[in-house]
Amino acid sequence: MPSTILSAPATPSEPAADTVRVAAPAKLNLYLHVLGRRPDGYHLLDSLVAFAGIHDILSVRPADGFSLEITGPFAALLLAEDPAGNLVARAARGLAAALGRDPHVAITLDKRLPVAGGIGGGSADAAATLRALALLWGLAADDPRPLQVAPTLGADVPVCLFGRTAYFAGAGEVVEPAPALPADLAVLLVNPGVGLNTRAVFQARQGGWRAAGRLERAPRDGADLTAMLRERHNDLMPPALALAPVVGEVVDALAAAPGCRLARMSGSGATCFGLFASLAEAEAAAGRLGAEHPGWWVAAAPFVADVHRLTV
């Protein structure tokens, strides 16, 4: 199915002469409703997606052949997997094939986000690969081929390529702009050191379907958005809890942190997030949670209005 992305940010058309470095930020599902299931088995979703200012870093440069180096604190899990299935490699080869050229690039992925964490790490990396190669290879701003490749890589890749606060629908192939997030909002992300397989979470889901939950209007401020989000849900949290009960401990710890407006799991887990009125409050809570749970990954960050404007 073709990707539907409205008002996607323009990609600069000037080719880069050397290394291109781009950020692959954490993707957060502020709510996630499961609306039904298609005949092909894919679930129909409705979600409000935002991006946090904590990210992997993707670097690409011209080379005589293709190579992928993975570094960073979460590199080991990816290095243990089959390289052929790596989303960065698939994105590079997919875009090269769409352009009718060889994928002669050297790619380095600095993996700073948890793997299988429900924050779109692999999808964000794939989207960053498409963006970086579009710059390296000098694609025109309106070249449709990165958008065409994105949905072939995974349900979250189109929204990560869009790179701004958005709704996504269908099985992830429909992406539409959402109202900008209020300025008085920061986020604290926590992963308990557990990865959850998305397919397993969907398979463990029980019960009926929920209606779409798009916001009825643009939120006035952070408190207003939080009130709207409380009326919405993450429908994958119950099955995630059944598979990894520690997710409930993380949500409870976030909810108990001073200043936390809302605590929720993102995506299919196991990463959870808390919303705060300021980055200072989120950082203070991060310090306390990190000290109390030294085995947890804890990171405070602002929200990012436009991933394409991030510099690394």
Side-chain angles (χ1 to χ4, degrees):
M1 183 177 295
S3 175
T4 302
I5 300 183
L6 305 181
S7 303
T11 300
S13 59
E14 296 80 5
D18 200 354
T19 300
V20 173
R21 286 164 50 90
V22 299
K27 174 227 67 175
L28 298 178
N29 298 94
L30 298 184
Y31 76 80
L32 176 60
H33 290 183
V34 182
L35 312 186
R37 193 170 186 175
R38 300 192 319 204
D40 62 6
Y42 284 94
H43 287 80
L44 299 171
L45 307 175
D46 168 57
S47 183
L48 174 60
V49 171
F51 296 91
I54 183 165
H55 50 76
D56 296 337
I57 297 176
L58 198 291
S59 304
V60 299
R61 60 179 175 81
D64 294 331
F66 177 81
S67 66
L68 171 60
E69 179 184 11
I70 305 175
T71 63
F74 291 99
L77 290 174
L78 293 182
L79 291 171
E81 296 177 351
D82 180 0
N86 184 279
L87 279 174
V88 168
R90 288 178 54 202
R93 293 191 173 107
L95 183 58
L99 298 173
R101 63 181 298 159
D102 293 320
H104 286 174
V105 288
I107 302 177
T108 299
L109 170 62
D110 184 5
K111 190 63 185 170
R112 303 179 178 188
L113 300 177
V115 176
I119 49 177
S123 297
D125 296 338
T129 303
L130 296 176
R131 290 191 287 115
L133 291 178
L135 288 168
L136 186 72
W137 291 337
L139 299 192
D142 59 352
D143 193 307
R145 286 170 289 187
L147 302 181
Q148 294 166 352
V149 172
T152 70
L153 301 170
D156 283 342
V157 179
V159 74
C160 289
L161 183 60
F162 182 72
R164 293 184 293 172
T165 305
Y167 296 110
F168 79 72
E173 76 280 359
V174 178
V175 179
E176 298 174 345
L181 296 184
D184 60 330
L185 208 61
V187 67
L188 173 57
L189 291 83
V190 180
N191 183 286
V194 172
L196 278 171
N197 179 274
T198 298
R199 181 183 296 273
V201 173
F202 272 102
Q203 288 176 340
R205 183 189 171 276
Q206 299 178 356
W209 313 116
R210 197 184 298 274
R214 294 196 177 191
L215 305 183
E216 56 269 18
R217 53 178 172 76
R220 294 184 294 270
D221 53 26
D224 189 34
L225 175 60
T226 302
M228 292 189 209
L229 292 176
R230 285 198 188 102
E231 298 175 354
R232 292 154 175 86
H233 309 271
N234 182 344
D235 288 342
L236 297 183
M237 187 165 171
L241 282 170
L243 296 172
V246 69
V247 169
E249 297 178 31
V250 176
V251 171
D252 290 345
L254 280 166
C260 182
R261 292 171 159 177
L262 177 74
R264 180 166 287 171
M265 188 185 80
S266 180
S268 57
T271 305
C272 303
F273 64 89
L275 299 181
F276 292 80
S278 69
L279 182 58
E281 287 186 350
E283 289 174 337
R288 286 189 291 270
L289 282 179
E292 294 168 0
H293 303 278
W296 290 3
W297 177 79
V298 179
F303 281 100
V304 174
D306 188 344
V307 168
H308 298 249
R309 297 182 182 276
L310 279 176
T311 57
V312 293

